[in-house]
Amino acid sequence: MFEIYVNQAGYLPEDRKVAVICQESAGFTVQDMQGNVCYEGKWNYFGPDALSGDTVWQGDFSAIKKPGRYVLRCEKGESATFLIGENAYGKLLYDVLRAFYYLRCGCALEKEHAGVYTHAACHTGIAVEWDNPLVKKHILGGWHDAGDYGRYVTPGAVALSHLMYAHMLYPAVFEKLKMNIPESGNNLPDILNECKWEMDWIVQMQREDGAVYHKHTTAHHAPFVMPEEDTAQLFLLPVSSMATADFCAICAQGYRVFKEYDKEYAAKLLAAAKKAYQWLKENPEFLGFKNPDGCGTGGYGQRDDLSNRWWAAAEMYTATGEAEYLKDAMAQFETLHFHLSLGWGDVAGLGVMALMTCQYPVSEAWMTALKKEVVEAAEKFVSIADGCGYNCAMVEQNYGWGSNMPLMQHGMILALADLVEGKGRFRNCMLDQLHVLMGVNAMGISYVTGNGDYAYNYPHLRPADADGIDVCIPGMVSGGPNRRPTDGYAKELGLFPEGTPPMKCYYDDVRCYSLNEITIYWNSPVVFVLAAALNK
Ligand code: 9MR
Ligand code: ZN
């Protein structure tokens, strides 16, 4: 634990750089690894900060632009070391993107690509329908969702969408990025190779009639064993309208992305999307999802499917330019309680991203209104961040299960606002959210494994525990602080006495799934924000 908090990955040379300390100190120096003083700075008193419970001083060292590895020091202590340079986020981006490779299901992870984190092929059995075991389907692939081994359609579609939009909006960042995955060197950028792994799984989740199974899991979460040892019967859980709508949206988006590289594959995705859309039209009522008796894997239930249907319509229009989809999208939009949300449940923000990238005509008044939503949300985040000693754009309610998701989604929205406006006025605030994730937070911790001198290391992630290797697989993003942990251990351990500030409701322990699990949709927005940061 360090006394001075910095982004433990580092900073791009031209960006703002602000460290935090929570005790009074005369001033600080920035030193290189030889101990040479490169800069002397002063702490500026920020004052008491509500959500961390800390009294905060900030120290600006933006003046240092020379590439190198540095550390901050003062008479009260020091910071983690960090990089300044164009490549400050190189390892981080590589690791958070490669996390998806480590989560691949249905194949072995070989030494050549996985290093020490190998395992044999997993979840290769034949799945049966939960309600009718006579219906059997051999579905293979996808990413494990999280600390558990399930494959779920709605979160899978959302993570895919974040990654594919990162590539679509910031292609230069990924052009030459080689990920050392089995497909590296073919004609696709590696980020799309990784996406294809999930896409190939998701298309198998569609039923003959166009509807889409909600999830592909065992009846209960496996014990903490390696994935290939989780050999319990696999099930296809009932179809839901959310899964069908998200499936439709992601296949339509996939069509746009893959048609540049593989027309046949893209056409297959569009056909699947159309079939799902047809089912949605014929089944306009909400078909939600609740775990049936005897099933205990993740629920991913929702109260309605309005945002999912709107995302689907928006992606279908953007993919095809057919007027009927736009008409549907506009009608769906009217029924929504619109939130610019990019999560596994409310996906309305992804519909906005579809229309923002649409080549076909969309009414100017409507586009103006949608863009205004983005810019106003970003302005709100700036004002929240200005009121926080850590420059964090989060309110108390955001500190729930997986709080690093709103943190990074706010970063995504700040990036989108800059795309909409083209003035760059939200860049600092967007980067601040990344800095929070990477160490400028009340725990002084990096929430990405293997990245930073003081990074968390014990996620609730089955293989990371079962492999017997103490150093965790790198690039895994923790769910992060949760002011109302629901797992037994957090309670049993008496971790957070009444009044613990939300930003401090965190503990690095494998047992604490409501504080320290990982998921694909907590990693994917980090990839997006990093791409925005690097796209200059
Ligand atoms: O990420 C989900 C979080 O927003 C919910 O509050 C929580 C409880 O319903 O579930 C989380 O999702 C979990 C999923 O159900 C199963 N795989 C692991 C997910 C992360 O903990
Ligand atoms: Zn598996």
Side-chain angles (χ1 to χ4, degrees):
M1 172 97 198
F2 296 92
E3 296 76 16
I4 302 174
Y5 305 151
V6 294
N7 181 325
Q8 296 179 32
Y11 303 84
L12 300 182
E14 298 303 324
D15 283 330
R16 188 172 73 175
K17 308 168 190 79
V18 176
V20 160
I21 191 166
C22 300
Q23 38 191 327
E24 188 152 17
S25 149
F28 65 90
T29 59
V30 183
Q31 303 180 10
D32 64 19
M33 290 299 98
Q34 285 72 47
N36 301 312
V37 173
C38 308
Y39 183 75
E40 287 182 43
K42 280 210 190 69
W43 295 111
N44 300 312
Y45 179 66
F46 176 89
D49 175 65
L51 298 182
S52 63
D54 292 330
T55 301
V56 170
W57 285 257
Q58 298 186 335
D60 193 307
F61 57 102
S62 307
I64 310 191
K65 300 184 174 181
K66 194 176 152 208
R69 183 166 281 279
Y70 298 91
V71 60
L72 261 73
R73 294 206 167 96
C74 72
E75 86 279 9
K76 295 287 167 61
E78 62 180 8
S79 73
T81 66
F82 58 90
L83 285 173
I84 290 178
E86 294 302 337
N87 201 30
Y89 303 131
K91 171 179 161 55
L92 182 58
L93 176 62
Y94 180 81
D95 284 355
V96 291
L97 191 48
R98 253 173 73 84
F100 293 88
Y101 167 72
Y102 285 117
L103 292 170
R104 284 189 188 190
C105 181
C107 61
L109 301 193
E110 308 284 358
K111 198 167 155 229
E112 189 186 347
H113 308 292
V116 291
Y117 304 107
T118 54
H119 69 69
C122 56
H123 305 106
T124 53
I126 291 174
V128 300
E129 270 191 12
W130 183 270
D131 291 330
N132 182 4
L134 293 177
V135 179
K136 297 185 164 75
K137 213 171 160 186
H138 196 193
I139 292 182
L140 210 57
W143 300 313
H144 299 139
D145 177 58
D148 68 299
Y149 290 130
R151 274 87 52 223
Y152 309 79
V153 168
T154 51
V158 166
L160 262 179
S161 188
H162 294 162
L163 295 182
M164 293 199 300
Y165 275 121
H167 175 262
M168 204 184 280
L169 295 169
Y170 310 110
V173 175
F174 299 101
E175 221 162 86
K176 293 198 195 85
L177 189 64
K178 287 277 168 284
M179 300 300 303
N180 183 29
I181 54 180
E183 302 79 10
S184 293
N186 67 5
N187 72 327
L188 284 179
D190 271 351
I191 185 171
L192 297 185
N193 277 321
E194 197 50 61
C195 288
K196 191 166 179 293
W197 186 265
E198 178 79 352
M199 201 59 114
D200 285 347
W201 163 76
I202 225 169
V203 291
Q204 301 168 66
M205 291 296 280
Q206 188 170 38
R207 218 166 55 176
E208 267 313 300
D209 65 349
V212 176
Y213 296 107
H214 194 69
K215 60 177 173 175
H216 177 213
T217 72
T218 50
H220 293 283
H221 289 319
F224 269 60
V225 296
M226 290 302 280
E228 65 272 31
E229 290 161 37
D230 177 26
T231 53
Q233 176 65 50
L234 289 167
F235 293 96
L236 288 164
L237 277 292
V239 301
S240 72
S241 53
M242 301 94 74
T244 308
D246 285 8
F247 172 98
C248 173
I250 205 60
C251 287
Q253 191 188 343
Y255 163 74
R256 275 196 287 157
V257 169
F258 286 101
K259 75 174 192 298
E260 313 295 329
Y261 306 93
D262 182 346
K263 291 217 155 43
E264 211 174 298
Y265 183 66
K268 181 177 139 189
L269 294 180
L270 187 60
K274 284 185 170 162
K275 206 164 147 185
Y277 199 85
Q278 189 60 35
W279 185 92
L280 291 167
K281 292 286 269 189
E282 285 162 11
N283 296 272
E285 67 291 351
F286 171 54
L287 182 55
F289 183 85
K290 260 206 194 106
N291 265 342
D293 283 349
C295 179
T297 51
Y300 290 117
Q302 289 175 228
R303 281 197 211 105
D304 65 66
D305 61 7
L306 299 173
S307 74
N308 313 81
R309 284 178 187 262
W310 129 261
W311 181 30
E315 291 287 358
M316 287 304 278
Y317 179 66
T318 303
T320 64
E322 287 168 26
E324 198 193 319
Y325 296 121
L326 183 62
K327 217 173 89 202
D328 288 354
M330 294 185 88
Q332 293 287 356
F333 192 77
E334 292 306 311
T335 67
L336 273 180
H337 289 287
F338 181 78
H339 293 290
L340 194 60
S341 170
L342 306 158
W344 58 259
D346 188 332
V347 291
L350 295 172
V352 176
M353 291 176 78
L355 295 183
M356 271 175 66
T357 53
C358 186
Q359 308 291 323
Y360 300 109
V362 181
S363 107
E364 211 177 299
W366 201 31
M367 268 334 280
T368 307
L370 291 177
K371 287 178 177 173
K372 194 162 159 258
E373 293 276 356
V374 174
V375 172
E376 284 178 0
E379 282 170 343
K380 194 188 84 195
F381 294 143
V382 170
S383 82
I384 295 169
D386 283 348
C388 170
Y390 292 90
N391 296 334
C392 177
M394 299 263 281
V395 296
E396 180 161 5
Q397 297 80 277
N398 292 141
Y399 288 94
W401 189 326
S403 63
N404 284 332
M405 177 167 78
L407 179 72
M408 283 299 100
Q409 289 189 10
H410 297 176
M412 284 179 73
I413 291 167
L414 288 155
L416 289 178
D418 269 344
L419 285 177
V420 164
E421 268 195 358
K423 294 188 201 146
R425 70 178 169 123
F426 298 110
R427 179 174 176 87
N428 280 344
C429 192
M430 174 197 73
L431 290 170
D432 284 338
Q433 309 320 302
L434 185 65
H435 302 331
V436 172
L437 184 80
M438 294 309 296
V440 187
N441 58 60
M443 305 297 298
I445 203 166
S446 156
Y447 287 111
V448 183
T449 55
N451 284 263
D453 293 344
Y454 183 57
Y456 93 105
N457 188 56
Y458 301 104
H460 182 90
L461 169 60
R462 278 166 177 71
D465 187 67
D467 66 9
I469 303 169
D470 186 53
V471 178
C472 181
I473 305 162
M476 298 289 170
V477 177
S478 169
N482 179 356
R483 76 196 199 289
R484 295 214 184 106
T486 43
D487 57 87
Y489 292 109
K491 289 185 184 150
E492 206 175 287
L493 299 171
L495 287 179
F496 312 129
E498 192 60 33
T500 306
M503 230 199 214
K504 288 201 173 117
C505 293
Y506 174 74
Y507 190 60
D508 182 15
D509 189 305
V510 61
R511 294 169 295 179
C512 297
Y513 54 82
S514 72
L515 306 172
N516 209 30
E517 191 163 347
I518 68 103
T519 72
I520 50 175
Y521 51 90
W522 297 337
N523 263 71
S524 55
V526 181
V527 173
F528 187 99
V529 169
L530 281 170
L534 291 166
N535 183 75
K536 290 197 303 162

